[in-house]
Amino acid sequence: MTEPAKNDVHPAGPGGQAGWRPRTRMVHAGARRSQFGETSEAIFLTQGYVYPDAETAEARFSGAAEGEGFIYSRYANPTVRMFEERMAALEGTEDGFAAASGMAAVSGALMCQLSAGDHLVSSRALFGSCLYIVETLLPRFGVEVTLVDGTDIDAWRAAIRPGTRAVFFEAVSNPTLEIVDIPAVAELAHAAGALVVVDNVFVTPAFSRAIALGADVVVYSATKHVDGQGRCLGGIVLGSRGFIRDRLEPYMKHTGGTLSPFNAWVLLKGLETLPLRCAAQAESAARIAAALDGRPGIARVLYPGLPGHPQHALAARMMSGFGTMISFEIAGGKAGAFRFLDALRLIRISNNLGDAKSLITHPATTTHQRLSEAARAALGITPGLVRLSVGLEDPDDLIADIQSALSAV
Ligand SMILES: *Cc1c(COP(=O)(O)O)cnc(C)c1O
């Protein structure tokens, strides 16, 4: 690949694209063209790179080479780099590092900065694998972890102390859609010198304001809305150039949780339609939540966009859209929830989310099965609770499917 013409590289970062708005950035940011001038980004399915001479190889390894030189695809790859730069341009961070899955991103973002003796404060309402990392894995390496109710700012205040190196939470929690007040937690964390790491999957990159609100590091499972069509696993960590290059990159490149170039390409193409898909899915979610709210047979509806949601005003400040996820409680406990799920014809039973296809799951017996009954109760994961990921189907068809399944219950 010869050096592309100057206007064929769209640099990442705020201001890097002369004020392009998010939808424009999602189509163009980070794109680079080979000497063939392809319109669609190329898949550089290569492990390594050849050097014109030994001197160039030496210069690349010493970091002294002019411009950008790739060394090995566990470290960096042109297609993966395009994905990282496009994500950084969307989130408004200086840089990003892509990972093989959302969990490779979450574990990397925490493991790269924490050492034995450090203290981490984390919200308790976490995706199961995130909970495993903070509750089981990090303590094995001598990291002290305090778990708090993420919605209780006094609990954060009581837990954060000098020596707290980082705080971690899902900005909107799975599956009960509780909202964490990012500016309030960030103020406490920053006063203690701690870094704010946010798992922002349920907000979606399309609706995120995390960096402007005070987050330092934002992590996504790109498996979800970024792909958006149920194909590839992937993840990304976004933050300052210092954090990404000095802290995260050495950890990721030497432990090997890097993203495959093929998956990076799928995710990169997913970003082109991300804002449109998330807007349509969130609009449908709002209609479905309104249709469910107060309906007989539904004990409660959890959707941050409902004016009656206890954190509706906070959600409106935290995100530029109310998201694509709804949780609701079917009367009749587990039996009622199972009858409802089994009566659905269009919405499919799956624990995945963010897909073009609407997917529904029963958290108590799937994603949160591992927890004790008491732990589930503490998180509000009741036997009748179901979690719906709203897809791209016509919302009237989704509402009709839900209504006919409810009649069957
Ligand atoms: C799915 C998910 C993850 C993990 O992502 P993978 O790509 O499955 O590894 C982490 N956090 C949250 C909130 C998720 O929904």
Side-chain angles (χ1 to χ4, degrees):
M1 179 173 169
T2 56
E3 277 301 302
K6 198 156 182 264
N7 71 353
D8 279 344
V9 179
H10 298 313
Q17 291 102 29
W20 286 344
R21 291 167 181 81
R23 270 173 54 180
T24 309
R25 276 184 249 151
M26 284 312 89
V27 179
H28 291 287
R32 28 183 99 194
R33 293 198 170 85
S34 77
Q35 68 273 37
F36 302 116
E38 63 280 357
T39 43
S40 173
E41 296 76 359
I43 311 176
F44 289 95
L45 210 51
T46 182
Q47 298 167 340
Y49 306 86
V50 296
Y51 311 104
D53 46 51
E55 288 74 11
T56 304
E58 180 185 34
R60 289 236 185 121
F61 272 79
S62 75
E66 275 287 306
E68 192 168 42
F70 292 95
I71 294 176
Y72 188 54
S73 285
R74 173 152 46 75
Y75 296 9
N77 169 282
T79 310
V80 175
R81 196 70 198 123
M82 287 192 259
F83 171 62
E84 291 168 341
E85 291 188 351
R86 193 166 291 178
M87 283 296 306
L90 177 58
E91 195 69 35
T93 58
E94 287 173 354
D95 214 339
F97 200 98
S101 66
M103 287 322 304
V106 170
S107 59
L110 294 173
M111 294 289 282
C112 79
Q113 57 167 319
L114 294 170
S115 306
D118 285 344
H119 180 230
L120 171 78
V121 183
S122 169
S123 65
R124 192 177 287 115
L126 293 178
F127 181 72
S129 300
C130 295
L131 193 62
Y132 170 82
I133 289 179
V134 300
E135 201 180 27
T136 307
L137 188 65
L138 289 174
R140 268 179 38 205
F141 293 88
V143 176
E144 196 193 331
V145 178
T146 307
L147 294 176
V148 297
D149 171 355
T151 62
D152 180 355
I153 197 66
D154 292 329
W156 287 103
R157 188 176 294 112
I160 294 169
R161 59 183 197 228
T164 302
R165 279 294 297 270
V167 301
F168 176 65
F169 55 89
E170 287 174 23
V172 174
S173 75
N174 171 31
T176 50
L177 307 175
E178 288 179 351
I179 320 283
V180 175
D181 187 336
I182 299 179
V185 174
E187 193 185 327
L188 295 170
H190 291 157
L195 222 54
V196 177
V197 183
V198 178
D199 179 336
N200 219 19
V201 167
F202 274 56
V203 173
T204 84
F207 300 137
S208 174
R209 292 178 178 153
I211 292 293
L213 293 169
D216 300 298
V217 178
V218 182
V219 183
Y220 289 102
S221 163
T223 312
K224 312 294 167 55
H225 302 83
V226 173
D227 177 307
Q229 288 155 82
R231 299 160 297 192
C232 289
L233 295 169
I236 191 149
V237 184
L238 299 157
S240 69
R241 186 152 292 125
F243 179 82
I244 297 295
R245 292 296 143 214
D246 302 340
R247 281 260 156 212
L248 184 71
E249 182 187 307
Y251 178 87
M252 293 301 292
K253 78 183 195 185
H254 297 305
T255 57
T258 33
L259 182 64
S260 116
F262 180 79
N263 287 8
W265 178 80
V266 173
L267 300 170
L268 187 64
K269 301 309 283 182
L271 284 178
E272 296 185 347
T273 55
L274 176 88
L276 299 174
R277 285 185 286 105
C278 286
Q281 287 168 258
E283 199 184 311
S284 295
R287 282 196 49 193
I288 294 166
L292 287 170
D293 200 24
R295 195 188 184 286
I298 305 284
R300 58 181 174 142
V301 181
L302 305 173
Y303 183 65
L306 282 177
H309 185 280
Q311 294 178 297
H312 177 67
L314 178 63
R317 272 183 277 132
M318 289 303 109
M319 45 215 287
S320 59
F322 293 111
T324 69
M325 305 294 296
I326 308 171
S327 290
F328 51 99
E329 172 116 21
I330 307 283
K334 178 184 168 185
F338 273 33
R339 273 199 303 276
F340 171 71
L341 292 189
D342 293 346
L344 289 165
R345 290 289 166 264
L346 170 59
I347 299 168
R348 306 317 305 262
I349 301 170
S350 173
N351 48 285
N352 202 8
L353 63 100
D355 201 294
K357 296 179 170 66
S358 290
L359 304 173
I360 197 160
T361 191
H362 181 247
T365 54
T366 59
T367 52
H368 292 73
Q369 190 188 109
R370 201 174 63 83
L371 301 188
S372 68
E373 184 99 42
R376 275 197 297 271
L379 293 174
I381 305 170
T382 49
L385 191 77
V386 297
R387 187 199 75 187
L388 172 66
S389 169
V390 178
L392 282 172
E393 303 92 341
D394 190 306
D396 289 329
D397 289 333
L398 296 171
I399 291 169
D401 192 37
I402 291 168
Q403 280 173 344
S404 91
L406 280 174
S407 317
V409 176

